[in-house]
Amino acid sequence: MRKFQAFALASLVGLALSLGQVWAQDNDDDDDAPAKAEASAAEKPTRASKDVPELILGAKDDQFTVNQKDFELISGQGYRWKISAAGGLEYKFHTDLFRNVWNNQIVISDLEVHMNGAPAWLEFDADGTIQVQFTTVRPGVYTWSVPDLVDKGMKGRITIK
């Protein structure tokens, strides 16, 4: 009986101490706490895949333009990314991102390519779209480029938070 009383007393003291810490945090006058909570909630991965804004390489009036250079993704999130060629040139799209994500599939004209590893690059011999479906697994900053056209500005960054 004595052991039970000692255990009950220790449990009660532990509970009281933990509640005291919560009460101390409730009196925190830090005004940015709601903003931090909203920001972290907005950056949590979901079970559904999200679309990355489409990357368009080239255009009819400028073969060396891109519509967006930098992309931000969340670690642990599934994504679908359409990469299109529209400038009439042959574009060889290269990124170190593919070696740092779990690649699910590549879709070209409704034909699916499933693989057990990363593609070395995507090559566009004609205008068209390739959709890559993947899940981010390693936070970091990665690059993408069209290697022969980097000096023309065909490069960018992919940041995984």
Side-chain angles (χ1 to χ4, degrees):
M1 181 72 169
R2 197 165 186 108
K3 287 182 182 179
F4 176 74
Q5 288 174 340
F7 178 75
L9 179 62
S11 298
L12 196 59
V13 169
L15 180 62
L17 288 175
S18 67
L19 289 176
Q21 291 174 352
V22 171
W23 293 331
Q25 290 174 354
D26 288 343
N27 293 332
D28 185 7
D29 64 351
D30 191 4
D31 293 336
D32 63 347
K36 285 182 183 177
E38 290 172 15
S40 65
E43 294 183 13
K44 289 185 179 177
T46 64
R47 294 181 71 180
S49 290
K50 294 182 178 180
D51 291 323
V52 176
E54 183 176 8
L55 173 61
I56 302 172
L57 306 171
K60 294 298 177 198
D61 58 338
D62 184 356
Q63 297 175 323
F64 309 112
T65 190
V66 294
N67 67 324
Q68 183 170 341
K69 291 192 176 210
D70 298 329
F71 300 87
E72 283 193 12
L73 309 177
I74 302 167
S75 181
Q77 177 64 53
Y79 288 100
R80 291 177 303 269
W81 190 16
K82 288 183 179 181
I83 303 166
S84 299
L89 288 180
E90 183 174 317
Y91 298 102
K92 182 178 176 181
F93 176 84
H94 182 269
T95 180
D96 52 350
L97 174 75
F98 293 152
R99 300 256 179 233
N100 294 284
V101 298
W102 179 78
N103 292 284
N104 182 16
Q105 67 181 2
I106 295 176
V107 180
I108 306 166
S109 299
D110 294 325
L111 302 173
E112 298 176 2
V113 179
H114 296 267
M115 61 227 133
N116 191 15
W121 63 81
L122 304 177
E123 189 168 324
F124 296 87
D125 291 332
D127 289 355
T129 300
I130 298 174
Q131 179 174 284
V132 183
Q133 193 169 1
F134 58 90
T135 300
T136 55
V137 293
R138 188 174 297 156
V141 178
Y142 305 99
T143 60
W144 69 265
S145 67
V146 178
D148 296 338
L149 302 172
V150 169
D151 60 333
K152 304 267 188 197
M154 297 192 87
K155 63 181 180 175
R157 289 184 322 185
I158 305 154
T159 304
I160 300 176
K161 295 181 177 185

